[in-house]
Amino acid sequence: MERLRQLREQMSADGVKAYIIPSADPHMSEYLPDHYKSIPYISGFSGSAGTLVVTHDFAGLWTDFRYFEQAEEQLTGSGFELVKQKVQHAPEYIQWLCDTLQKGDIVACDENLLSVLLGDLLSQQLSRKGLELQHRDYISAVWGDRPGLPEGTAYLVDDAYIGQTVASKLTAIREAIARLGADQHLISSLDDLAWTFNIRGNDVSYNPVVMGFALINQDHAKLFIGEGKLSEVDKKSLLTSGVEVFGYEEVREAIKHIPEHSLVLIDPKRSCLALTKLLPVTARIIKDTNPSTYLKAVKNETELINTRSAMLKDGVALTKFFKWLSETVGKERVTELSAAAKLHSFRTEQPGFLGDSFNTISAYRAHGALPHYGPTPESDVEVRPEGLFLVDSGGQYRYGTTDVTRTLPMGNNTEEERTDYTLVLKGMIDGCKARFPKGTCGYQIDAIARKPLWDHAINYGHGTGHGVGYFLNVHEGPHVFNATATPISIELGMITSIEPGIYRPGKHGIRIENLVHTVTDVSNEFGDFYAFECLTLAPISTRIVRKEIMSPAQIEWLNSYNAMVFERLSPFLNEDEVTWLKDETKAIGRDGYSPRQHT
């Protein structure tokens, strides 16, 4: 409440009627360094998606259904109220501001935290109502002990792990810049920066990236990162590829001194508004997706080979964890937090493991109905030999990024749980075994995975899948499998998740997720058709499958997948683990229930 009071005092002094605090940094990151975790500091809400809006008589958090329960708990006593978004990621607070404020009122925000796209949208919609958007940074004054920017070091990844040199990537980017009619290109997004320069760091939790910017033209490439982050050896290596290294803050002066009349390519979703306002007045902005965003989405053969190796190591860790969980729950006390810690410990045994790729969702029973639930000491519950346990987790390896979800039947499962589990499994299978023509977009794959649920008048509020980086961000664009008609086709070499789910508040949540790689399938007189190679190697439990509502093709796929998992993982397991996995992955028939039900 005190922080909110101080913020309002600054607003009053400047005549500002509303202040917006997005969950963002100048790089439009999903996961933020501590310096930019303004929403948790001001309101107490720690979810990864949300926006605070403060007026003199109201303070609200706009977030989506994934965080409703979490927000209700964390906002208690903060002075903020939860405003439930109807559409995920939609800036619905803009309309609220237009309906609430009066003509001539000032709305303020730190433009370093506004994407160009969102800043343009805000300005346009507010101006139609006679409202003015101004730049203000009120957080720094309120946050007296604010953490500094990350000071960890960064490093270059050896070409053997990447499969492509920095010089060749810059050539591809420059060709794309020229095609778009630009002569300068600003990169702000950290995963694009990391991919372009084969650089990794630890400035952001879960994502192995380093904070920085880049300016690229046909003759030069300038990288702006913190002083001392790169060794002199790495700097010399970059210089041989035509890359000069400068300090992080020097990007602002460099933008100011871009040549007059330049045509500057900027990604409006991945660049902040504040930097564009530093451009010379004669410069013209070309708004388009970063070329590197498309280029890094299509993995080369080295990246695919290494990713398969990461999946193998991850599958070994997951199998050890599933065995431990099945043999420990009911005999020793296991909680959501201790289960997540145990899974992490199994991953640390695998060579090349560097850390989790996101905060593990370790959710028992009703907590599984919260799609982005993360256990805390306050919410942690014991896992018992009954109901459903959902674990959604991933690892960052030096040779790939993983993301996998399994829902595990712990025993005494209800008919509703059996049916829901089977429907989600059907949706995941149909998505994984889809054959589709070249040019198919993500929303079409999304519909294929949802249909088994739609047939029972069931739906889920999140997307079916997202792109996954190579030893980079676990959530990667530009492609996505969701209901939005995003005109991005699914290309060969892309890695994407397929993760349908069913969530019954107060009861259970079920999600099953594999990562898939787009491959060629059939070419005929009707064109080229693609399919998916399943990359994830983790057993799918069949103990509560209702086989009578599965098609023969779905059962065939499930048996073949589990057989592949056993074949690939068993050489890396001890005798007891092989015995457990053999039972867990044994084929099921086509009639009646699975013979291995838990009652």
Side-chain angles (χ1 to χ4, degrees):
M1 291 290 286
E2 175 60 21
R3 294 165 184 171
L4 183 57
R5 185 192 64 77
Q6 293 177 22
L7 194 150
R8 282 175 168 150
E9 284 183 353
Q10 295 182 83
M11 292 169 58
S12 295
D14 289 342
V16 169
K17 297 298 183 181
Y19 191 66
I20 302 169
I21 306 173
S23 177
D25 63 10
H27 311 279
M28 302 302 114
S29 305
E30 176 184 11
Y31 295 103
L32 305 176
D34 290 344
H35 181 81
Y36 288 105
K37 292 181 179 178
S38 304
I39 289 180
Y41 180 80
I42 295 294
S43 70
F45 174 69
S46 61
S48 64
T51 302
L52 300 180
V53 177
V54 178
T55 66
H56 292 283
D57 56 9
F58 178 79
L61 166 72
W62 272 255
T63 192
D64 62 65
F65 81 105
R66 297 171 297 169
Y67 300 104
F68 288 168
E69 186 172 320
Q70 176 183 344
E72 291 280 12
E73 294 176 0
Q74 293 182 331
L75 294 179
T76 302
S78 69
F80 285 86
E81 299 179 25
L82 169 63
V83 182
K84 297 181 178 180
Q85 285 181 204
K86 298 179 177 64
V87 179
Q88 191 175 351
H89 302 306
E92 296 170 0
Y93 58 87
I94 300 178
Q95 187 59 51
W96 182 87
L97 288 169
C98 292
D99 293 340
T100 304
L101 301 181
Q102 302 297 315
K103 184 177 180 180
D105 284 348
I106 296 173
V107 178
C109 182
D110 183 348
E111 292 179 348
N112 290 291
L113 309 182
L114 281 183
S115 70
V116 173
L117 183 67
L118 180 55
D120 289 348
L121 181 65
L122 261 171
S123 294
Q124 291 167 9
Q125 296 197 16
L126 293 178
S127 64
R128 289 174 187 166
K129 295 288 292 186
L131 305 173
E132 181 183 353
L133 179 65
Q134 294 185 0
H135 168 69
R136 294 284 190 281
D137 174 14
Y138 291 149
I139 301 300
S140 296
V142 172
W143 199 346
D145 57 348
R146 187 173 188 173
L149 293 177
E151 297 180 349
T153 58
Y155 58 94
L156 299 186
V157 182
D158 191 275
D159 289 350
Y161 286 103
I162 296 293
Q164 192 175 0
T165 65
V166 173
S168 67
K169 290 180 176 181
L170 287 172
T171 296
I173 290 172
R174 285 171 172 140
E175 290 173 353
I177 294 171
R179 285 195 299 271
L180 291 168
D183 48 41
Q184 303 279 344
H185 177 37
L186 171 66
I187 299 178
S188 298
S189 45
L190 302 186
D191 58 334
D192 285 290
L193 192 83
W195 181 88
T196 300
F197 298 102
N198 289 351
I199 187 173
R200 300 294 187 272
N202 58 1
D203 284 356
V204 179
S205 298
Y206 308 118
N207 297 337
V209 295
V210 56
M211 293 183 69
F213 302 93
L215 274 173
I216 300 172
N217 60 30
Q218 294 300 327
D219 302 313
H220 300 97
K222 297 180 179 180
L223 173 63
F224 302 87
I225 62 173
E227 296 289 344
K229 282 189 173 290
L230 283 176
S231 69
E232 291 303 316
V233 172
D234 283 345
K235 288 180 182 179
K236 289 179 181 178
S237 176
L238 285 171
L239 192 59
T240 62
S241 299
V243 181
E244 296 181 88
V245 178
F246 298 87
Y248 179 77
E249 294 294 342
E250 290 183 71
V251 69
R252 298 180 183 275
E253 284 300 312
I255 291 173
K256 291 177 184 177
H257 291 91
I258 282 177
E260 297 285 334
H261 305 289
S262 290
L263 302 175
V264 186
L265 173 62
I266 291 179
D267 190 325
K269 292 183 180 179
R270 299 171 178 87
S271 304
C272 73
L273 184 62
L275 289 186
T276 65
K277 293 190 172 183
L278 299 176
L279 286 166
V281 293
T282 58
R284 185 165 66 87
I285 296 175
I286 297 176
K287 297 176 183 177
D288 210 319
T289 302
N290 291 329
S292 52
T293 299
Y294 292 108
L295 292 167
K296 69 179 167 57
V298 176
K299 276 50 179 181
N300 62 45
E301 193 56 36
T302 298
E303 292 172 324
L304 290 169
I305 290 170
N306 289 341
T307 294
R308 293 186 187 101
S309 180
M311 297 294 174
L312 183 64
K313 302 296 191 297
D314 211 55
V316 170
L318 286 163
T319 298
K320 291 174 179 285
F321 170 70
F322 295 154
K323 177 179 181 293
W324 169 84
L325 190 73
S326 68
E327 296 174 347
T328 306
V329 168
K331 299 175 184 176
E332 301 176 19
R333 177 176 166 80
V334 176
T335 71
E336 295 169 328
L337 281 174
S338 69
K342 190 69 174 180
L343 174 53
H344 179 84
S345 73
F346 282 124
R347 281 197 169 106
T348 61
E349 297 173 0
Q350 302 306 310
F353 176 73
L354 297 178
D356 296 336
S357 58
F358 56 95
N359 186 36
T360 296
I361 299 170
S362 176
Y364 181 55
R365 297 203 118 169
H367 284 162
L370 307 173
H372 275 210
Y373 171 77
T376 65
E378 293 74 28
S379 69
D380 192 27
V381 297
E382 183 177 0
V383 181
R384 299 182 179 276
E386 59 185 8
L388 297 172
F389 175 70
L390 185 155
V391 58
D392 185 347
S393 68
Q396 291 286 7
Y397 296 81
R398 288 193 180 276
Y399 38 83
T401 301
T402 70
D403 180 5
V404 56
T405 308
R406 292 293 183 263
T407 302
L408 307 174
M410 305 309 299
N412 294 318
N413 295 103
T414 67
E415 194 67 15
E416 183 178 62
E417 289 171 339
R418 295 174 187 272
T419 299
D420 286 352
Y421 182 90
T422 306
L423 293 178
V424 171
L425 180 57
K426 282 161 62 75
M428 199 278 290
I429 291 173
D430 285 357
C432 287
K433 71 182 190 70
R435 170 185 285 163
F436 50 95
K438 179 181 179 180
T440 295
C441 295
Y443 59 89
Q444 295 165 289
I445 304 298
D446 179 83
I448 291 172
R450 289 180 192 269
K451 187 177 184 304
L453 284 69
W454 287 349
D455 288 343
H456 290 255
I458 296 172
N459 199 16
Y460 49 93
H462 57 74
T464 294
H466 55 83
V468 178
Y470 172 75
F471 184 25
L472 270 176
N473 296 6
V474 75
H475 294 144
E476 178 180 271
H479 62 298
V480 65
F481 295 172
N482 65 22
T484 306
T486 303
I488 304 294
S489 60
I490 308 307
E491 303 292 347
L492 298 174
M494 286 181 169
I495 295 177
T496 320
S497 69
I498 296 180
E499 47 183 313
I502 293 177
Y503 309 95
R504 296 190 184 272
K507 293 183 177 180
H508 61 258
I510 298 166
R511 187 165 62 255
I512 304 173
E513 173 189 17
N514 274 0
L515 300 190
V516 296
H517 159 229
T518 310
V519 297
T520 57
D521 188 27
V522 173
S523 294
N524 56 29
E525 65 269 32
F526 300 102
D528 297 327
F529 284 79
Y530 295 165
F532 292 129
E533 169 200 3
C534 275
L535 296 174
T536 300
L537 295 171
I540 298 174
S541 177
T542 60
R543 290 197 295 273
I544 60 171
V545 169
R546 287 191 56 194
K547 293 180 293 181
E548 75 276 15
I549 65 173
M550 294 183 72
S551 70
Q554 290 166 340
I555 292 176
E556 175 83 21
W557 186 96
L558 178 60
N559 288 336
S560 295
Y561 176 80
N562 271 339
M564 176 189 70
V565 168
F566 178 78
E567 179 183 355
R568 296 285 304 278
L569 297 184
S570 56
F572 303 93
L573 302 171
N574 64 34
E575 185 176 347
D576 286 345
E577 292 161 350
V578 169
T579 299
W580 181 89
L581 183 60
K582 185 175 183 180
D583 182 64
E584 187 71 6
T585 58
K586 68 184 180 183
I588 60 174
R590 296 184 178 179
D591 300 310
Y593 282 89
S594 167
R596 295 186 290 120
Q597 296 173 31
H598 289 255
T599 57

